[in-house]
Amino acid sequence: MSKRTGCWIDEDPSFRREAVNGAFVERPETREIIETLNEVRRNMRERAEPTCVTIVGKPGVGKSKLLQTYSDNNLPGEIRENGCIIRTLPVLLISLRDSLSATDVSDRAMVKLMGERAPQGPRVRKGLLIEQLLLRRTEMFILDEAQHLLQHGAEKTRGTTRDWIKTICKETNIPVVLAGMKAINDIVNADDQLDQLTPYRFVLDRYPYTSAAEQKAYSKFLNELDACLPFDELSLLGEPDRARRLHLLSDGLLRPLCQILRKAAARAIDDQARCIRDSDFAQAFEALPAAGRCDENPFREFL
């Protein structure tokens, strides 16, 4: 196995597992998205016309991981202005897990902006939310799984929700990012004004694995992921046979790959192994059969 700098084997196992959970690799598509997010934030600071961004894709392709990593890389801070300290929140990320109204989302946003004692419900008007977004110097408002908001209720309710998004965007100049299922674009397209405010449309898909070029790209992704893992030796995830098994296991989706990888890495860390072994992947699949995207364990021979 190829050596890497440092000695992970003596580090605290909990710290190493956390490092596995935080591993993130930019694929070409996500790199373009991140560059665009930075661009629209810069445009906002330079008082350009506000814009929205949509990021759509099937569950498991890595949308939430991308957005959470972006948020984590733009943490709250403090600035001094006119003798006062202002606590900033440059990126406001709200993750929606069920059907919500604009009022519900406002409540969650207010908690992020003001803390647990923030005003809730009918007391929260758009004006107060806008005031807090500006006060905290927010430069981007991200709604993950936004279809839960946009699909809420009847068409009249969806129209009210679209108006709420447009108001936030136009009155604050803050770009709004809508991420989730393909239905988001259909709903955005149904409103002429919101459609025009949303020039950036991205699609994230699973990694294909048919052509030689696609297989090479997937191996490259796995090698970069391998380099992020807290082990003293590379696990050679991108080696052709191992890459084939991992693609078969995950069907090219990021979420099932990460679920199995976390389990396999935890087993290797507990055994004080210097890398993740094929047997670790075999045992991880057996422990999490629902995570895999195939019926048979691709690493069965290593049990």
Side-chain angles (χ1 to χ4, degrees):
M1 293 293 181
S2 300
K3 298 283 185 179
R4 65 169 74 232
T5 304
C7 187
W8 281 102
I9 202 166
D10 294 326
E11 294 285 349
D12 179 82
S14 179
F15 175 71
R16 294 178 66 188
R17 289 191 294 270
E18 185 176 347
V20 173
N21 295 337
F24 176 74
V25 174
E26 286 187 8
R27 51 197 284 191
E29 297 92 332
T30 59
R31 192 174 298 117
E32 183 182 359
I33 291 172
I34 291 171
E35 289 173 355
T36 298
L37 298 185
N38 289 334
E39 177 187 341
V40 297
R41 285 175 61 195
R42 184 183 69 243
N43 291 343
M44 177 262 183
R45 292 192 295 269
E46 295 173 352
R47 302 184 184 281
E49 182 183 34
T51 53
C52 294
V53 180
T54 63
I55 306 170
V56 303
K58 295 180 180 179
V61 297
K63 302 183 300 296
S64 295
K65 179 73 171 178
L66 164 66
L67 295 173
Q68 187 61 61
T69 300
Y70 187 81
S71 176
D72 291 343
N73 289 335
N74 292 276
L75 294 172
E78 291 184 350
I79 61 172
R80 183 176 290 276
E81 189 174 280
N82 298 325
C84 299
I85 294 177
I86 298 174
R87 293 181 174 84
T88 63
L89 184 63
V91 175
L92 174 59
L93 169 62
I94 304 294
S95 297
L96 313 180
R97 294 292 177 252
D98 47 24
S99 183
L100 297 174
S101 67
T103 299
D104 298 325
V105 177
S106 292
D107 287 348
R108 296 190 181 189
M110 290 296 291
V111 169
K112 287 281 190 80
L113 291 163
M114 298 183 66
E116 293 297 330
R117 296 186 178 181
Q120 299 282 287
R123 291 179 294 167
V124 180
R125 297 289 182 265
K126 274 185 293 191
L128 180 56
L129 175 59
I130 288 170
E131 176 186 288
Q132 286 299 313
L133 288 168
L134 296 174
L135 181 64
R136 296 294 301 276
R137 303 299 192 269
T138 300
E139 298 175 349
M140 179 162 285
F141 190 176
I142 302 176
L143 297 172
D144 189 20
E145 301 298 344
Q147 72 274 1
H148 293 308
L149 171 64
L150 291 170
Q151 291 177 329
H152 181 83
E155 180 55 38
K156 181 179 179 180
T157 305
R158 287 194 291 270
T160 301
T161 301
R162 288 191 292 254
D163 289 342
W164 178 82
I165 293 171
K166 289 185 293 185
T167 299
I168 296 295
C169 188
K170 292 164 67 176
E171 293 194 16
T172 66
N173 222 40
I174 295 171
V176 177
V177 178
L178 305 169
M181 303 293 284
K182 183 181 178 181
I184 289 174
N185 278 338
D186 297 333
I187 298 170
V188 169
N189 293 342
D191 183 285
D192 288 342
Q193 193 173 43
L194 185 56
D195 180 36
Q196 293 177 30
L197 284 171
T198 313
Y200 300 103
R201 313 287 180 98
F202 294 98
V203 178
L204 274 180
D205 205 348
R206 69 186 72 211
Y207 273 98
Y209 201 72
T210 303
S211 68
E214 291 168 347
Q215 294 169 15
K216 183 178 179 180
Y218 190 62
S219 288
K220 181 177 183 292
F221 160 72
L222 291 175
N223 284 332
E224 292 177 357
L225 181 61
D226 195 1
C228 298
L229 300 179
F231 289 92
D232 294 340
E233 296 175 353
L234 294 172
S235 302
L236 302 184
L237 301 181
E239 184 271 328
D241 182 64
R242 192 166 294 111
R244 178 185 62 81
R245 295 174 193 262
L246 290 172
H247 190 277
L248 182 62
L249 177 152
S250 64
D251 195 23
L253 293 169
L254 184 60
R255 181 175 293 133
L257 173 66
C258 289
Q259 290 172 340
I260 297 291
L261 179 66
R262 281 196 296 268
K263 191 71 173 178
R267 186 174 187 272
I269 290 169
D270 290 343
D271 285 352
Q272 293 192 309
R274 301 185 69 81
C275 65
I276 304 175
R277 303 153 297 187
D278 288 325
S279 60
D280 296 319
F281 284 115
Q283 292 289 350
F285 186 94
E286 294 298 307
L288 294 172
R293 309 300 291 181
C294 56
D295 296 329
E296 295 293 329
N297 188 340
F299 292 88
R300 177 176 294 278
E301 65 194 84
F302 301 103
L303 288 172

